[in-house]
Amino acid sequence: MEPDSTAPVSFPVPEENEPVRRRAIFSRAFRSVKSHHALSPNDATAVRGRRRRKTNDDSLQLIDDLVNRPMDPMFSDSRLVHEQRSVFSIWFNRIIVFLICVGVGFAGCLFVQQLQSDPRKQVRQTLADQLENRNAQIEQLTKDVNAVKAQVDEQSKKVSGKVKSDTLIQDELVTGAVAVTGEGITMTLADPIAASQSDQSTSTRVGTTSKIRVVTDLDLQQLVSLMFQNGAEAISINGNRLGAQTSIRKAGGHILIGVNAIESPYTIEAIGDKNTLAEAMGSKNMASLYDSFKQAGIYPQVNKSNSITLEAAVAGETQYAERNE
């Protein structure tokens, strides 16, 4: 089929309507580009003269515009402008960003540290500090009481010529109301090495218990009772004098002498006849007790001492029974 000879091959565009084609320039030479602005939509005559050619075939107007005028005049007027920034503004922005990063990093570190910290540890530390302060106050008050007692005894001696009777002195020695110095023995015993290693290994595990035999408050009570039975006049454990109101008990994982916690190794000092006490508390006289200690890995050591000084025990409040009238 041959094409219709009456149809034009193309639609020629007059020179005055020929579109202007330019390349986009992305460089500093944009100022040299000739400005080309879009026509106002109100200028109908100019728009009709530039964008449309006179033709009676309206169906070919779209194709004619796409072929002869592919670029929008608004696009040809666009410019790529690079803003020139000063050195001061560049470094100022960098410093501000750096400070913000440092602040965010510091706040993040504090937040992570707060999450990893154990609040119960701070509570325990606070309670421990308060307990130490109270113990220090008790020790200071005990020293003050002993000093006042010494002054009272001195004044009594000046008045009556004799401070105390022998019975009163003996009672004060037994109750631990006064400091005492004399010969005696020192017994030392400690928890087995396996127990200390087990404590370190199980400290990081919750719910584990150790079945290793360790020195208990009952062992200390038994040893103290045996020393008193064999003539000990004054006894202290790890520097804590035993008085009439001093207790030996276990609280939590520690052994308390009164209100003071002690730890292994345990040192028991007893004033009395050193030879008698050493023989009575030796392994020959108490073979069964030493054998039970040996099976658990506990080895008590008894040493004689020519001079042992024990401080007075903490004086408690004494209450006397009264008849109810």
Side-chain angles (χ1 to χ4, degrees):
M1 182 177 179
E2 296 181 357
D4 190 2
S5 59
T6 61
V9 179
S10 63
F11 294 91
V13 180
E15 294 182 358
E16 64 273 9
N17 293 333
E18 186 176 356
V20 180
R21 294 182 175 86
R22 293 189 177 89
R23 294 181 59 187
I25 300 176
F26 301 94
S27 65
R28 297 182 180 178
F30 70 91
R31 295 184 180 87
S32 61
V33 178
K34 189 175 181 180
S35 179
H36 183 76
H37 299 278
L39 296 177
S40 175
N42 297 327
D43 194 356
T45 304
V47 172
R48 192 182 306 112
R50 291 200 58 180
R51 298 197 53 153
R52 294 183 181 179
R53 59 186 178 84
K54 296 179 181 180
T55 178
N56 296 325
D57 193 355
D58 295 335
S59 63
L60 298 178
Q61 289 182 5
L62 178 60
I63 299 175
D64 182 52
D65 289 340
L66 292 176
V67 173
N68 298 314
R69 287 167 289 276
M71 184 179 296
D72 193 346
M74 292 294 293
F75 179 77
S76 63
D77 190 51
S78 62
R79 300 287 185 264
L80 183 62
V81 181
H82 180 73
E83 182 182 357
Q84 295 293 334
R85 298 175 59 189
S86 62
V87 179
F88 174 77
S89 64
I90 294 175
W91 282 103
F92 180 77
N93 292 336
R94 290 179 179 178
I95 292 174
I96 293 297
V97 173
F98 175 76
L99 294 177
I100 293 174
C101 293
V102 171
V104 172
F106 183 73
C109 292
L110 291 180
F111 183 72
V112 173
Q113 185 178 5
Q114 185 67 22
L115 291 178
Q116 293 181 352
S117 62
D118 187 4
R120 294 177 297 178
K121 182 178 180 180
Q122 298 179 357
V123 174
R124 289 194 297 267
Q125 185 64 33
T126 302
L127 295 177
D129 295 339
Q130 293 178 358
L131 181 60
E132 291 179 358
N133 294 333
R134 294 297 182 184
N135 291 337
Q137 293 177 2
I138 292 174
E139 292 178 0
Q140 184 63 34
L141 291 176
T142 302
K143 292 180 181 179
D144 295 341
V145 171
N146 294 333
V148 173
K149 286 183 178 179
Q151 294 178 4
V152 172
D153 295 341
E154 186 66 24
Q155 295 298 328
S156 299
K157 184 178 180 180
K158 290 180 180 179
V159 174
S160 60
K162 187 175 182 181
V163 182
K164 301 177 182 178
S165 63
D166 295 338
T167 303
L168 180 59
I169 294 175
Q170 185 65 26
D171 292 341
E172 289 182 346
L173 290 176
V174 174
T175 58
V178 294
V180 62
T181 302
E183 66 176 16
I185 63 171
T186 301
M187 174 178 282
T188 304
L189 64 161
D191 294 334
I193 298 177
S196 60
Q197 293 177 352
S198 176
D199 293 339
Q200 294 178 359
S201 61
T202 59
S203 60
T204 58
R205 293 180 294 174
V206 180
T208 58
T209 57
S210 175
K211 297 182 180 179
I212 299 177
R213 170 78 160 82
V214 296
V215 179
T216 64
D217 54 338
L218 298 178
D219 296 332
L220 298 180
Q221 292 175 7
Q222 183 180 7
L223 294 175
V224 169
S225 298
L226 292 173
M227 289 182 180
F228 276 124
Q229 291 177 7
N230 289 279
E233 299 177 358
I235 299 176
S236 70
I237 302 177
N238 284 21
N240 298 282
R241 177 77 176 275
L242 301 182
Q245 298 178 339
T246 306
S247 62
I248 304 175
R249 59 190 179 89
K250 185 176 182 180
H254 299 278
I255 298 177
L256 300 181
I257 306 299
V259 295
N260 299 322
I262 60 175
E263 295 180 352
S264 176
Y266 305 101
T267 302
I268 304 175
E269 296 176 319
I271 292 179
D273 190 335
K274 60 181 181 180
N275 295 323
T276 302
L277 289 175
E279 183 179 357
M281 300 303 296
S283 58
K284 294 181 180 181
N285 193 29
M286 296 187 299
S288 60
L289 180 62
Y290 274 77
D291 289 340
S292 64
F293 282 156
K294 185 177 180 181
Q295 293 177 0
I298 302 172
Y299 302 94
Q301 301 293 330
V302 178
N303 298 317
K304 299 179 182 179
S305 299
N306 294 326
S307 179
I308 298 176
T309 301
L310 303 180
E311 299 293 335
V314 177
E317 182 180 359
T318 304
Q319 297 181 354
Y320 298 94
E322 297 181 358
R323 179 180 297 177
N324 188 7
E325 297 293 343

